[in-house]
């Protein structure tokens, strides 16, 4: 019906997709308000964003919270109430917030404030809200922001890449005597993992492995809320490692990728999709891992845990909750986690304490797995003394899987993790996954930039005048051009170099040019 602000350009394809994704696609008798999320592939080329500082934000934000370049997130507030004046006998409407940022808590909290007002007062309400949001400061990693909207101030901290993984967000914010007291969100994006994972707590390890390996997974849920929360919870359980595969928290049969994902002519893609329409049981039954969950209910004791079942047991109509897969885990089960969570249930520990336990466990698991890889890749960096000012910096040595495997005997995950099992097999499978590829590219890029930075520092330390003594004009001009190019690259790529280093290299260039004959000086200054 309405897109606000008006100048936001969506293609027709995107509009259609958003419409289908904004409503539950299977009959739900539930009346009232529900909230859920989706993620949508952008169609029709890159559009310029409003944010020119994308690079800066993405460099400082945790990898898991970067602004997406090819996808939009949709945050939905859906209302269904009886209304005899409507043709169908119901009032059904959704308000959707579209963003490139995965701030699920912030945006869903915002919708809880805006949507009820919007359904009541319509467009003028959106106009007022957008005017307020326009005044919000940009999200700067590491900063705590106060965001006023509709008479409330939402207070939230934007996480930063330098935060210590697993550290709890700062509890006590600067309460600059804000009146009214702000609505403080403990996290901008973290879900209540304990609530999301309650029917699968005893299988958390298997799910962690499937996510780590980027396996194709279908989550079949009774509602878009359960489906989107489960998918987002699963994609978050590898932090601080980035889940590099595609994921769709809620997916419908009208989606433009429906054919691509349901085809049987090729293997299912590395993707996790959340669905609610029973039709998918038939169209996706050739997928290797299907997680069927019921409605989430928080009860006093450990919720009924789903069982692992053979894929052949997947009945087309009445499929019972379960994990339908023939996957055998590489690592043995960790009984201590379940015991601690059970103890928490008996002692009526709040859900957020249980979630923190769960998140800590997953973090330690991921770190035990990733630390040996970090150690090995760091050893591929050339020695500092091999970096000399007048030669191109040496190459980073290639990543050899077999060499890495040899390091595991002395420096493997067993140093930090009590879990036994086939770690080597898990690494071998991991090397074939998009998550390894994404991790390796990111590290390689960072190391290449570090090398460039070290090289610039070496040039700064060098004695240029002594070097120039026996050099021809051609060699000197060549050096000027090379140094200039390095300087431009350092600035464009925001290499980790001190500003004074860059200024010194700039001065060097001027000094060298100054020593050349005048005609050459003129040419170089114009170049």
């Amino acid at each position: 019906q309405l897109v606000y602000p008006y100048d936001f350009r969506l293609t027709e394809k995107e509009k259609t997709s958003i419409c289908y994704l904004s409503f539950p696609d299977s009959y739900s008798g539930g009346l009232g308000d529900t909230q859920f999320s989706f993620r949508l592939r952008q169609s029709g080329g890159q559009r310029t964003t409003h944010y020119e500082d994308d690079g800066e934000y993405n460099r400082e934000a945790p990898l898991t919270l970067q602004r997406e370049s090819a996808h939009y997130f949709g945050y939905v507030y859906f209302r269904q109430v009886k209304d005899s004046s409507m043709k169908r006998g119901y009032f059904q409407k959704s308000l959707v917030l579209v963003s490139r940022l995965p701030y699920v808590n912030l945006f869903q909290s915002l919708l809880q404030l805006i949507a009820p007002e919007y359904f009541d007062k319509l467009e003028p309400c959106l106009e007022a809200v957008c005017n307020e949001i326009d005044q919000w400061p940009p999200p700067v990693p590491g900063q705590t922001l106060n965001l006023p909207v509709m008479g409330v101030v939402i207070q939230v901290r934007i996480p930063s890449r330098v935060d210590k993984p697993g550290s709890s967000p700062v509890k006590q914010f600067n309460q600059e005597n804000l009146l009214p007291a702000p609505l403080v969100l403990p996290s901008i994006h973290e879900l209540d993992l304990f609530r999301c994972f309650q029917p699968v707590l005893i299988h958390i390890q298997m799910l962690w492995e499937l996510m780590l390996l980027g396996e194709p997974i279908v989550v079949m849920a009774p509602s878009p809320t359960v489906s989107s929360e489960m998918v987002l919870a699963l994609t978050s359980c590898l932090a601080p490692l980035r889940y590099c595969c595609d994921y769709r928290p809620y997916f419908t049969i009208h989606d433009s990728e429906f054919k691509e994902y349901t085809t049987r002519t090729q293997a299912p893609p590395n993707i996790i999709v959340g669905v609610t329409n029973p039709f998918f049981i038939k169209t996706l039954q050739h997928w290797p891992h299907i997680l069927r969950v019921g409605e989430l209910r928080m009860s006093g004791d450990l919720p009924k845990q789903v069982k692992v079942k053979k894929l052949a047991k997947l009945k087309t109509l009445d499929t019972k909750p379960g994990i339908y897969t023939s996957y055998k885990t590489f690592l043995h089960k960790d009984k201590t986690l379940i015991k601690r969570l059970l103890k928490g249930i008996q002692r009526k520990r709040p859900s957020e304490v249980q979630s923190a336990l769960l998140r800590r466990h997953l973090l330690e698991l991921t770190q035990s797995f990733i630390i040996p890889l970090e150690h090995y890749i760091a050893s591929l960096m050339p020695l500092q003394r091999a970096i000399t000012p007048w030669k191109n910096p040496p190459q980073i040595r290639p990543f050899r899987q077999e060499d890495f495997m040899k390091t595991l005997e002395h420096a493997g995950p067993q140093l930090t993790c009590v879990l036994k099992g086939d770690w080597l097999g898990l690494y071998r499978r991991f090397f074939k996954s998009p998550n390894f590829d994404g991790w390796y590219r990111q590290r390689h890029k960072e190391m290449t930039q570090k090398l460039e930075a070290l090289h610039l520092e070496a040039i700064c330390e060098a004695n240029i005048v002594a070097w120039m003594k026996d050099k021809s004009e051609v060699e000197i001009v060549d050096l000027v051009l090379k140094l200039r190019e390095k300087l431009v690259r350092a600035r464009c790529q925001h290499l980790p170099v001190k500003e004074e280093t860059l200024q010194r290299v700039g001065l060097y260039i001027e000094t060298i040019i100054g020593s050349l004959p005048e005609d050459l000086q003129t040419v170089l200054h114009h170049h």
Side-chain angles (χ1 to χ4, degrees), residues 317-336:
L317 279 166
D318 172 39
T319 299
K320 295 195 166 53
I323 300 178
Y324 294 84
T325 179
S326 56
Y327 180 81
K328 296 278 173 281
T329 56
F330 286 91
L331 305 180
H332 305 323
K333 231 180 218 163
D334 181 9
K335 303 239 165 59
T336 50

Side-chain angles (χ1 to χ4, degrees), residues 142-144 155-159 163 167-175 184-187:
Q143 286 195 2
T144 295
Q155 191 173 72
V156 74
R157 181 180 178 276
I158 309 289
D163 295 346
S167 60
S168 61
V170 197
K171 284 281 175 283
Q172 191 52 44
F173 290 123
N174 42 346
Q175 301 283 353
V184 178
L185 300 184
S187 161

Side-chain angles (χ1 to χ4, degrees), residues 110-126:
L110 185 60
L111 282 172
Q112 281 169 19
L113 296 170
I114 303 170
E117 276 293 293
Y118 166 70
F119 293 135
D120 192 31
K121 304 200 170 69
L122 300 178
E123 201 173 333
C125 156
L126 284 192

Side-chain angles (χ1 to χ4, degrees), residues 210 213-218 243 267-273 287-290:
L210 292 174
L213 301 173
E215 286 285 311
I217 302 176
V218 185
Y243 178 70
N270 297 89
I271 169 177
I272 170 166
V273 288
W287 279 44
H289 319 286
I290 294 174

Side-chain angles (χ1 to χ4, degrees), residues 196-373:
C196 297
F197 283 152
Q198 42 160 342
V200 294
L201 288 169
I202 60 172
H203 307 296
I204 216 70
Q205 192 122 345
M206 173 193 262
L207 293 168
W208 175 84
E209 283 188 25
L210 292 174
M211 294 306 289
L212 180 74
L213 301 173
E215 286 285 311
I217 302 176
V218 185
V219 172
M220 292 187 175
S223 69
T225 309
V226 177
S227 135
S228 58
E229 286 196 340
M230 181 62 92
V231 170
L232 290 176
L234 284 167
T235 56
S236 77
C237 73
L238 296 182
L241 187 68
R242 181 185 192 163
Y243 178 70
C244 297
C245 309
D246 198 355
Y247 60 98
R248 299 302 162 88
Y250 172 51
F251 187 75
T252 75
I253 53 176
H254 304 288
D255 205 285
S256 50
E257 278 94 73
F258 177 73
K259 275 203 177 64
E260 186 184 322
Y261 293 161
T262 51
T263 171
R264 300 197 174 206
T265 52
Q266 60 213 60
N270 297 89
I271 169 177
I272 170 166
V273 288
V275 300
T276 61
N277 192 326
F279 179 69
F280 278 109
I281 297 177
K282 207 157 140 190
T283 52
L284 295 177
Q285 65 189 20
H286 61 295
W287 279 44
H289 319 286
I290 294 174
L291 167 58
R292 180 92 163 100
V293 285
E295 276 297 348
L296 294 187
R297 290 185 198 83
M298 265 319 223
S299 52
D301 44 358
L302 183 69
K304 191 168 178 223
Q305 297 295 293
V306 307
K307 294 189 170 67
V308 174
K309 306 178 181 187
K310 295 201 166 51
L311 276 159
K313 291 252 168 76
L314 201 63
K315 301 228 182 3
T316 335
L317 279 166
D318 172 39
T319 299
K320 295 195 166 53
I323 300 178
Y324 294 84
T325 179
S326 56
Y327 180 81
K328 296 278 173 281
T329 56
F330 286 91
L331 305 180
H332 305 323
K333 231 180 218 163
D334 181 9
K335 303 239 165 59
T336 50
L337 174 72
I338 295 300
K339 284 183 186 144
R340 288 169 75 184
L341 290 171
L342 272 171
K343 195 181 275 176
I345 290 172
Q346 284 154 8
R347 296 188 177 165
K348 300 203 171 8
R349 259 192 226 132
S351 190
E352 57 265 27
V353 178
Q354 297 276 69
S355 281
L357 259 174
L358 201 47
R359 192 168 271 113
R360 169 124 238 122
H361 169 81
L362 290 165
L363 173 73
E364 284 167 2
L365 197 51
T366 301
Q367 283 180 324
S368 297
F369 182 80
I370 224 76
I371 286 169
L373 283 161

